Amino acid sequence: AYIGVGQLLSPLVNDSLSYERTLELARQQYNLLAVDDLLNVGYPPYDYKQVLRQRRWLTRLTAVKNSAGHPMREVEFFSNLQELLATPEYSLLDIFRMGMKPLFSIQHLWNRDYYQIDLMKSINRLELPVFFLCGREDHFTPSLLVEEFFNKLEDPRGKAFIWFEHSGHHPEYEEPAKFWEFLERQVLPISEMN
């Protein structure tokens, strides 16, 4: 099965929608510093410095609450260090490197080639079970775009789209009980059949 969380589909469309939402929030909150900086950043395509500026404003301007009603902050490297240490897929050296160079991927991958990706146009059918677990308040990779993709996707093996009403980009941290319950009830039985 494929499980998409914070699903990226079309970087140019994703980042354009994210930029528009960030600018809208800045104007609603009368944050003139944010409006000015965002207008200077402009629409994508971005380099990694521009996307970091836009995402930092989005994080500051968005108030997402978890399922218990508590404000959530954007998940950072050190906030999930305990989970990383418990994950067998990462060695201590891997974790050390992540901490030393947390922006390595974004510095090397956020470029003009990245903005040529468009799964909305290149994929219309999959041959494995697909699950999209999306935060209603995800404006990093806007979930409405994922829902549009899901609706047009043909999948004879089955597909499901699950909204996490009290989550942004990280439903696995923001609504962990619902997230893990879905994996255990829906995904685990499929993996045991194969």
Side-chain angles (χ1 to χ4, degrees):
Y2 175 80
I3 302 166
V5 180
Q7 181 65 52
L8 179 69
L9 293 168
S10 172
L12 189 59
V13 176
N14 280 353
D15 286 356
S16 295
L17 292 171
S18 184
Y19 171 76
E20 289 170 357
R21 178 63 177 152
T22 308
L23 189 56
E24 176 187 17
L25 288 168
R27 288 178 171 149
Q28 286 173 355
Q29 297 175 28
Y30 302 103
N31 188 325
L32 300 181
L33 182 62
V35 169
D36 185 53
D37 194 34
L38 289 165
L39 290 174
N40 285 326
V41 169
Y43 276 91
Y46 295 138
D47 62 26
Y48 83 94
K49 292 177 183 174
Q50 291 170 307
V51 78
L52 286 176
R53 282 169 59 194
Q54 184 267 320
R55 295 297 201 263
R56 284 184 181 130
W57 281 120
L58 179 59
T59 300
R60 290 178 193 161
L61 297 166
T62 304
V64 176
K65 296 183 178 181
N66 68 13
S67 56
H70 302 292
M72 292 296 299
R73 61 183 168 77
E74 182 58 27
V75 176
E76 298 172 357
F77 174 76
F78 290 105
S79 67
N80 63 351
L81 183 58
Q82 186 175 358
E83 288 88 356
L84 284 171
L85 290 170
T87 303
E89 289 82 11
Y90 295 114
S91 71
L92 285 175
L93 182 58
D94 292 332
I95 295 168
F96 175 76
R97 287 179 178 153
M98 281 188 264
M100 294 304 295
K101 294 213 174 219
L103 302 178
F104 179 85
S105 294
I106 197 170
Q107 288 173 332
H108 291 85
L109 298 176
W110 225 279
N111 55 38
R112 298 253 174 220
D113 291 336
Y114 170 76
Y115 282 104
Q116 301 306 309
I117 298 168
D118 192 343
L119 303 181
M120 297 285 289
K121 293 180 181 173
S122 62
I123 296 176
N124 56 25
R125 181 181 173 93
L126 291 172
E127 298 290 337
L128 73 162
V130 174
F131 304 95
F132 293 111
L133 288 67
C134 297
R136 180 72 71 180
E137 298 299 324
D138 185 355
H139 300 291
F140 284 80
T141 51
S143 295
L144 291 175
L145 189 62
V146 181
E147 186 178 38
E148 180 184 329
F149 176 74
F150 172 83
N151 288 334
K152 79 169 190 80
L153 183 67
E154 295 177 30
D155 195 328
R157 301 277 311 273
K159 61 182 184 172
F161 187 98
I162 308 302
W163 279 117
F164 287 78
E165 297 295 335
H166 306 288
S167 294
H169 191 58
H170 295 284
E172 69 276 22
Y173 296 111
E174 296 160 335
E175 294 182 74
K178 179 178 178 179
F179 188 89
W180 293 112
E181 179 186 1
F182 178 80
L183 292 180
E184 288 176 353
R185 284 188 28 243
Q186 301 291 330
V187 179
L188 190 58
I190 290 172
S191 68
E192 291 173 345
M193 291 180 353
N194 293 320

